[in-house]
Amino acid sequence: GDFGARMVCGTVVNNTSRTIGYAQIEINLYDSEGSLVDSTLDNINNLEPSGKWKFKAPILEDNVSTYKIKDVNGF
């Protein structure tokens, strides 16, 4: 990321036939021992039908080793 910040990056595809007015991805962040140390998220507005969203969620804690995507939702 910018200024050396770490990020969780990926792509979400709207595989519906309607525009998603608001979409959000929630991610848990874990240390090397598997302990939950933080969480992060990214969101977007107006994801069109068949649209691709390239999300980037910042990692602010230094001791994060792994992550799990916990939820992707939209309305």
Side-chain angles (χ1 to χ4, degrees), residues 14-39:
N14 177 3
N15 55 8
T16 72
S17 60
R18 65 182 181 85
T19 295
I20 304 296
Y22 176 85
Q24 179 171 292
I25 187 164
E26 300 174 23
I27 303 161
N28 279 356
L29 305 173
Y30 301 88
D31 66 13
S32 61
E33 297 174 352
S35 298
L36 180 64
V37 293
D38 203 0
S39 62

Side-chain angles (χ1 to χ4, degrees), residues 17-75:
S17 60
R18 65 182 181 85
T19 295
I20 304 296
Y22 176 85
Q24 179 171 292
I25 187 164
E26 300 174 23
I27 303 161
N28 279 356
L29 305 173
Y30 301 88
D31 66 13
S32 61
E33 297 174 352
S35 298
L36 180 64
V37 293
D38 203 0
S39 62
T40 188
L41 61 86
D42 195 9
N43 55 47
I44 196 163
N45 295 312
N46 302 315
L47 183 58
E48 296 174 343
S50 302
K52 294 181 182 179
W53 165 35
K54 291 188 176 183
F55 69 86
K56 291 194 277 186
I59 299 173
L60 302 177
E61 290 287 324
D62 290 333
N63 60 342
V64 172
S65 295
T66 60
Y67 66 89
K68 289 182 187 174
I69 295 174
K70 298 307 288 183
D71 194 23
V72 179
N73 58 62
F75 54 86

